[in-house]
Amino acid sequence: MEEKFFTIAAFEYAADVQIVKGKLESEGIAVFLRDENTLNSDPMISNAIGGVKLQVYAKDKGRALEIYNEIRAYAVDNLGNPIRCPNCKAQKSEAYYERKTIFHKLFPFFEKRKYKCLNCGIITKPD
């Protein structure tokens, strides 16, 4: 029987994924880290390959997402306050990069940060 995987999230650094991995495994969910060894050997290519992907079996997707949403870190401003969505007022946003141009694909650190609301999906620029 072939199992299918679901990617819960991608992390820029291999160390960042370890806390979430530990929490999911403590809840009895099998976790797989795609591209972890590649980034451990060369961390500078993280943006090029999309970071370390945290994957679970598709059958565990719902429970894994519940756990991840309980412990995940949402975007904060320079003062440490949660970013508030101007549309729905939720405080559940994450950093978002479009990487539309070839320049931003090659040099993603030059792109201005935007935020994506995880509640309504709107993409905004910081004030």
Side-chain angles (χ1 to χ4, degrees):
M1 182 170 122
E2 185 178 322
E3 295 284 348
K4 304 248 182 208
F5 296 99
F6 177 78
T7 301
I8 298 293
F11 297 83
E12 187 173 0
Y13 302 107
D16 294 344
V17 74
Q18 295 302 322
I19 294 172
V20 179
K21 177 183 183 236
K23 176 63 174 170
L24 291 172
E25 288 178 338
S26 74
E27 297 286 337
I29 297 173
V31 175
F32 305 91
L33 301 178
R34 185 170 169 204
D35 297 327
E36 178 188 27
N37 292 331
T38 304
L39 289 186
N40 282 337
S41 65
D42 187 2
M44 299 301 289
I45 65 169
S46 181
N47 285 326
I49 65 171
V52 178
K53 288 80 161 177
L54 177 78
Q55 297 181 321
V56 298
Y57 287 122
K59 66 181 176 65
D60 295 327
K61 172 186 170 183
R63 181 74 179 122
L65 282 172
E66 283 178 26
I67 294 167
Y68 177 62
N69 287 330
E70 288 174 8
I71 64 171
R72 76 186 301 173
Y74 296 105
V76 294
D77 62 16
N78 292 338
L79 300 174
N81 300 315
I83 300 292
R84 184 178 296 274
C85 175
N87 185 45
C88 69
K89 308 299 184 220
Q91 294 181 340
K92 294 183 175 184
S93 295
E94 65 182 4
Y96 177 79
Y97 300 95
E98 292 177 320
R99 296 188 176 116
K100 283 186 175 179
T101 67
I102 188 72
F103 179 77
H104 287 130
K105 287 179 183 176
L106 293 173
F107 306 104
F109 41 85
F110 283 117
E111 185 176 356
K112 299 281 187 210
R113 180 180 303 195
K114 297 178 187 96
Y115 296 99
K116 180 177 183 179
C117 177
L118 300 174
N119 192 43
C120 68
I122 192 171
I123 297 170
T124 59
K125 295 179 184 177
D127 297 330

